[in-house]
Amino acid sequence: MLQPFLKRVHDKMLKETLAAGVAYLHEGVEPGDRRLVQQLVESGAVQLCVVAAELAWALAAHVHTVIIADTHVYNGKLHAYEQYPITTVLQMVGRACRPLEDEHAVAVLMCVAHHKTFFTKLLNDCLPLESHLDHRLHDHMNAEIVTKTIENKQDAVDYLTWTFLYRRLTQNPNYYNLQGVTHRHLSDHLSELVETTLTDLEQSKCIAIEDDMDVQPLNLGMIASYYYINYTTIELFSLSLTNKTKIRGLLEIISSAAEYSELCIRHREENIIKALAAKVPHKPSAPSGGSVKYNDPHVKAHVLLQAHLSRMQLPAELQADTALVLAKAIRLICACVDVVSSSGWLSPAVAAMELAQMVTQAMWAKDSYLRQLPHFTADLVQRCSEKGVETVFDVMELEDNARAKLLQLSPTEMADVARFCNRYPNVELTYEVKDERHLRAGKPIVVEVSLEREDDIVGPVIAPFFPQKREEGWWVVIGDPKSNTLLSIKRVSLARSAKVRLDFVCGSSGRHTYTLYFMSDAYLGADQEYKFTAEVGEAASDSSDSE
C-alpha cells in the first residue's frame, strides 16, 4: 500500500525508513516530502515519526502518542544548552490529540529531575499570557509617529492604555517590575516607558522631540517604518554607509542588521561556517584586536549571503537558514538605497541596486548574465560565450534551429528557458528635459521619462534560487558620476507603460552633463543608462522675475 507514495518521495534515506514504517522530519526535508509524511502519519500508514524540535510549530499532524525526548536545545552563541520556550513544549504536547479517533491520548515528557515539579505544574495549571510589547515598543512607536497617530508624549501614553500590555500590568505587576497597582504607579511606569522609548528613537535620529513634548518623524524613521525594519538597523545604516561604500561593504553592513541577531547557531556549526568562509570571495572581518567569531549570527548571515551568490551546495539546515536570511535581505537593501539617496551619494546607491539584482538571481555582478537562465550550467555559458552569445537578448534573437543546436536542452528545459525569456523585461525608455531653453541656476530642472514595455507578459520575477515570490520593481535615477552626486530618484512599478517625472535644482550656470539610470531590482543586464547635457543660464534677478 505504501509503494505508490514511496515513488513520490525525493529523499532516498527517507524512502528507506518509510518502507520500514518509520518517518523522520527536519528543516532540510523538502516541502513535498514533508506534506507526504504528515499524510502517512495521520492516516496510520506510518507508525513512528521522529521530528526535530524546530518543526514543533510547523507540524500539522495529530497523533495518539507524543514523546518529548528532551527539553533543552543547544545555543551556539552562548555555547550552552537552554530550555525550550514554554509555549513550544505546550505545542509539542498538543500534537497528542485525536478526539475523533481516540478516547484518550498520551504525552510523555522527558526532563531532568529538578524540572519535574515545574513541568507538572505547567501541564496541570493554565499558563498566563503576558505582553512583550515593552520589549519591542520602539518600532511600534516609530511607526505610529510616522502615521501621525502619535504626535506628542501624551498621545504615546494614551496609545499604551489601549494595549494588552496595559491590561496585564495590574494583573501581574511583578512580571513587569511594577512597585504597585495604584493609578499613580501605573501612570509613572507608562510615562517612564514612553520617555525612555522616545529618547532612544531620538538618539537614533528616527524622530525629533520639540519643546520636550511634541514628536515629529525624521527621514530615517520613515524609512524604517516603510520597510518594517528595526530602528537600531536604520541607525547602523546611517552611521556605516559612506559615499565610497561598495558591494563588499554593503554585504557586511546588511549582515550586521538587528534582524539577523536571532539567526540560530547549532551545535558545532561554527566549524561549518568557518569552512564556508574560507571559500567565499569576501572573508568576514574581525573586530579590532580580535579574531572572527564564527558562532556570531551576523557572521553566519554574511557567509550565507555570499554562499548564495556563489550558488554553493549547502547542508539542508543551512539552506533553510539561507532562506530566512534572503527573506529579509531585499527589504534591507532597499532601505540602504533610500539612506544613501537621502545623503545624495550616487555610487553606493547604484551598488545597492545591483546587490538587489544579485541576491534575487544568486549571482555576482561579474558573472555572465546568462547564468540567470534556467538550466544554464557553467559549460553551457562557456559554449554560448564562444559563439558570441553574451546576453539574454542574444539568446532570444537566435534562430530556433541555431538555438536548439547551441543549447542542447530537452523540450521541457527549453520551455523553461522560453518562459524566462518571455518574462525578461525589454523596456523602451524615452526622456525629455522640460523647458530646456529656459533653464536657470537655482530653479528646478524637470526631466520627464516615458517607459514602455515591449513584451506583453508581466508577472512575478523568475528567480529559481530565491525562496519567495517577488514582483519586479525599478529605480529611475539622475546623477552626476564625476562628483558622485545623486540628484533625483523615483521607485517605479512597471506594468505595460509608465511616466515618471524627476526634478532637481542646479546650483550653478553653465553646461552640465548628467546621467539617467534605469535600474532593475531583480534582473541583471536589463539596466539602461543615458547621458544628457543641460545648458543652465545665470540665475534670474528679482526684477526680471517680476517682469
Side-chain angles (χ1 to χ4, degrees), residues 349-397:
V350 172
M353 294 170 193
E354 289 177 347
L355 183 58
Q357 302 169 4
M358 290 157 51
V359 168
T360 305
Q361 296 296 342
M363 288 169 52
W364 293 96
K366 61 180 173 55
D367 294 340
S368 167
Y369 295 149
L370 297 179
R371 291 202 73 195
Q372 298 171 95
L373 287 155
H375 314 297
F376 268 57
T377 60
D379 292 339
L380 179 50
V381 169
Q382 179 65 29
R383 194 160 69 238
C384 289
S385 181
E386 289 168 359
K387 295 292 183 182
V389 177
E390 301 283 354
T391 68
V392 178
F393 295 116
D394 292 343
V395 174
M396 294 161 74
E397 288 167 6

Side-chain angles (χ1 to χ4, degrees), residues 306-501:
Q306 293 191 68
H308 168 71
L309 297 179
S310 304
R311 297 190 182 178
M312 290 183 181
Q313 285 290 334
L314 299 175
E317 288 82 3
L318 288 184
Q319 284 180 11
D321 291 338
T322 303
L324 292 174
V325 170
L326 295 176
K328 298 172 182 175
I330 297 297
R331 283 189 291 122
L332 295 170
I333 293 169
C334 290
C336 284
V337 172
D338 284 11
V339 170
V340 294
S341 301
S342 305
S343 301
W345 299 326
L346 179 64
S347 171
V350 172
M353 294 170 193
E354 289 177 347
L355 183 58
Q357 302 169 4
M358 290 157 51
V359 168
T360 305
Q361 296 296 342
M363 288 169 52
W364 293 96
K366 61 180 173 55
D367 294 340
S368 167
Y369 295 149
L370 297 179
R371 291 202 73 195
Q372 298 171 95
L373 287 155
H375 314 297
F376 268 57
T377 60
D379 292 339
L380 179 50
V381 169
Q382 179 65 29
R383 194 160 69 238
C384 289
S385 181
E386 289 168 359
K387 295 292 183 182
V389 177
E390 301 283 354
T391 68
V392 178
F393 295 116
D394 292 343
V395 174
M396 294 161 74
E397 288 167 6
L398 289 171
E399 294 292 332
D400 290 351
N401 292 338
R403 188 188 299 119
K405 185 178 178 182
L406 176 64
L407 303 186
Q408 299 172 20
L409 297 173
S410 69
T412 309
E413 292 171 337
M414 283 295 281
D416 290 339
V417 172
R419 182 167 157 267
F420 180 93
C421 291
N422 289 334
R423 192 73 59 80
Y424 191 74
N426 185 5
V427 181
E428 188 170 326
L429 182 150
T430 56
Y431 65 92
E432 179 190 359
V433 181
K434 291 290 186 183
D435 212 12
E436 195 170 359
R437 295 184 181 180
H438 302 93
L439 301 178
R440 291 282 180 269
K443 296 289 183 182
I445 298 176
V446 179
V447 180
E448 198 169 84
V449 180
S450 297
L451 305 166
E452 189 155 347
R453 203 183 191 102
E454 293 189 3
D455 44 324
D456 295 329
I457 303 170
V458 182
V461 175
I462 297 179
F465 294 90
F466 195 77
Q468 292 181 322
K469 182 179 174 182
R470 274 205 65 202
E471 297 296 331
E472 67 177 54
W474 301 84
W475 286 282
V476 185
V477 180
I478 293 176
D480 181 358
K482 283 186 180 177
S483 62
N484 190 23
T485 307
L486 188 148
L487 299 165
S488 186
I489 182 169
K490 284 279 175 72
R491 187 96 160 98
V492 185
S493 178
L494 180 62
R496 293 282 186 276
S497 61
K499 283 200 173 183
V500 186
R501 189 181 174 93

Side-chain angles (χ1 to χ4, degrees), residues 36 84 161-162 192 248 261 287 354 376 459 478 506:
L36 189 63
Y84 291 144
T161 62
W162 290 92
E192 186 182 346
R248 178 175 187 163
S261 59
E354 289 177 347
F376 268 57
I478 293 176
C506 180

